[in-house]
């Protein structure tokens, strides 16, 4: 049975090109969050290194590791067990000849509950992820943890209402999105604004009557000849779409809020969004061109 309340922390942090530096900093932030009572703690996407996807370089494939025997996942299992916290943990996965942008969910006793591979892979200036990552093959994941049913998408997944809806249909109590997003290269016409990013996820909170939170990085990173500044604005939204906690573009550390899951469940049932769905009419969602084909 899901708990009535959960204390959530989302971590905002800068990263460097040194694995040990980043892992040690992340551990420090997790400990700080746990000391404030956090029970579920989310770190940003690919916090182990600079956001190398700014450029296409073969050398960066060396950053990927198999889940078994991973260089830092085991340390976070020990940390979760010591502190009694749930840690959804982003990492660069190598599996055979494939590479994935992945996340493993660690329960509060250190158990690995499962692995999620990012479904939606972006491809554009400054975000060349299709060069590095195979499309995820796990489907969307929701995990039963000590502190509720946790649904987690990864960065680009956060723009897709389908991701949020599927995780909610699978019984998620709240939705989390580790991310790495910031400025666009000068030649890109889309706006350098965090507002669209937040509004997209807040829309998921409203249409699913659920808490939604995202953890982003901060700071300016130079990879190859490119430079990007990550705009932070890590936040937590409640089940009505109200922003209940937010960092700016420079704060570092854990951002906390207590989620009232009991009230969210009651509100969600009363809104009727899931009662009034008509999945038998949504066949066009299973196509790329909107034309439902039969037979």
């Amino acid at each position: 049975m899901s708990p009535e309340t959960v204390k959530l922390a989302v971590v905002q942090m800068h990263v460097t090109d040194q694995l040990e530096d980043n892992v040690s900093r992340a551990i420090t932030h997790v400990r700080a969050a746990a000391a404030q009572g956090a029970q579920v703690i989310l770190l940003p996407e690919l916090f182990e290194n600079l956001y190398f996807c700014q450029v296409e370089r073969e050398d960066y494939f060396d950053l990927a590791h198999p889940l078994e025997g991973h260089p830092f996942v085991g340390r976070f299992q020990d940390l979760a067990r010591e502190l009694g916290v749930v840690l959804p943990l982003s990492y660069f996965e190598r599996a055979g000849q494939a590479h994935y942008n992945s996340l493993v969910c660690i329960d509060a006793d250190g158990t690995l509950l499962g692995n999620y591979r990012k479904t939606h892979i972006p491809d554009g200036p400054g975000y060349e992820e299709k060069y590095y990552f195979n499309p995820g093959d796990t489907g969307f994941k929701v995990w039963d943890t000590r502190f509720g049913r946790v649904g987690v998408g990864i960065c680009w997944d956060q723009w897709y209402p389908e991701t949020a809806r599927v995780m909610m249909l699978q019984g998620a109590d709240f939705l989390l999105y580790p991310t790495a997003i910031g400025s666009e290269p000068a030649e890109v016409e889309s706006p350098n604004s965090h507002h669209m990013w937040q509004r997209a996820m807040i829309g998921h909170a409203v249409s699913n009557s659920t808490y939604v939170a995202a953890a982003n990085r901060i700071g300016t990173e130079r990879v190859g000849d490119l430079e990007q500044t990550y705009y932070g604005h890590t936040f937590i939204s409640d089940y009505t779409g109200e922003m209940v906690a937010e960092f700016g573009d420079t704060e570092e550390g854990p951002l906390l809020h207590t989620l009232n899951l009991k009230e969210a469940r009651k509100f969600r049932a009363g809104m009727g969004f899931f009662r009034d769905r008509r999945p038998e009419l949504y066949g066009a969602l299973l196509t790329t061109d909107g034309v439902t084909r039969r037979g």
Side-chain angles (χ1 to χ4, degrees), residues 147-208:
F147 302 114
R149 288 181 59 82
V150 180
V152 188
I154 302 174
C155 201
W156 196 234
D157 289 334
Q158 67 208 356
W159 296 91
Y160 291 83
E162 296 88 349
T163 302
R165 181 51 56 87
V166 170
M167 289 192 290
M168 291 303 297
L169 287 171
Q170 292 175 339
D173 287 317
F174 52 96
L175 303 179
L176 304 178
Y177 296 97
T179 192
I181 190 169
S183 61
E184 303 283 353
E187 68 272 18
V188 175
E189 295 180 0
S190 59
N192 294 334
S193 172
H194 70 271
H195 296 295
M196 290 172 55
W197 172 74
Q198 288 182 330
R199 288 170 186 151
M201 286 178 279
I202 289 171
H204 305 330
V206 172
S207 60
N208 292 284

Side-chain angles (χ1 to χ4, degrees), residues 30 42 99 113 155:
V30 169
L42 180 70
H99 298 82
L113 296 179
C155 201

Side-chain angles (χ1 to χ4, degrees), residues 8 10-11 100 116 142 190 210 218 229 253 289:
L8 170 68
V10 281
V11 173
Y100 298 99
Y116 169 65
V142 171
S190 59
T210 189
I218 55 171
T229 299
D289 63 1

Side-chain angles (χ1 to χ4, degrees), residues 55-267:
V55 298
E56 297 184 2
R57 299 286 187 276
E58 293 176 359
D59 291 346
Y60 289 122
F61 284 104
D62 290 340
L63 299 173
H65 298 277
L67 178 55
E68 184 175 354
H70 194 275
F72 65 77
V73 169
R75 292 173 63 180
F76 284 93
Q77 287 182 263
D78 293 340
L79 185 65
R81 186 180 304 112
E82 174 194 344
L83 301 176
V85 297
V86 172
L87 296 175
L89 195 71
S90 172
Y91 73 105
F92 186 12
E93 181 188 9
R94 185 176 77 242
Q97 303 304 319
H99 298 82
Y100 298 99
N101 187 338
S102 297
L103 179 141
V104 64
C105 190
I106 305 172
D107 207 354
D109 62 357
T111 301
L112 295 182
L113 296 179
N115 195 44
Y116 169 65
R117 292 168 173 166
K118 185 174 179 178
T119 300
H120 303 98
I121 310 297
D123 180 34
Y127 299 91
E128 307 280 354
E129 294 199 16
K130 279 189 168 67
Y131 177 76
Y132 293 101
F133 307 130
N134 294 80
D137 59 0
T138 59
F140 303 113
K141 294 287 187 178
V142 171
W143 291 286
D144 277 308
T145 77
R146 183 182 298 178
F147 302 114
R149 288 181 59 82
V150 180
V152 188
I154 302 174
C155 201
W156 196 234
D157 289 334
Q158 67 208 356
W159 296 91
Y160 291 83
E162 296 88 349
T163 302
R165 181 51 56 87
V166 170
M167 289 192 290
M168 291 303 297
L169 287 171
Q170 292 175 339
D173 287 317
F174 52 96
L175 303 179
L176 304 178
Y177 296 97
T179 192
I181 190 169
S183 61
E184 303 283 353
E187 68 272 18
V188 175
E189 295 180 0
S190 59
N192 294 334
S193 172
H194 70 271
H195 296 295
M196 290 172 55
W197 172 74
Q198 288 182 330
R199 288 170 186 151
M201 286 178 279
I202 289 171
H204 305 330
V206 172
S207 60
N208 292 284
S209 301
T210 189
Y211 287 95
V212 173
N216 196 14
R217 62 176 68 195
I218 55 171
T220 298
E221 300 178 15
R222 187 171 186 84
V223 179
D225 297 328
L226 293 181
E227 186 175 272
Q228 285 181 322
T229 299
Y230 298 90
Y231 52 58
H233 285 279
T234 292
F235 74 94
I236 302 171
S237 168
D238 76 4
Y239 53 86
T240 72
E242 289 295 323
M243 191 89 74
V244 292
E246 181 187 12
F247 276 150
D249 55 9
T250 59
E251 292 98 328
E252 176 148 354
L255 181 71
L256 286 86
H257 186 76
T258 298
L259 314 185
N260 191 326
L261 302 183
K262 180 180 180 181
E263 287 299 317
R265 285 192 291 270
K266 182 170 69 172
F267 181 83

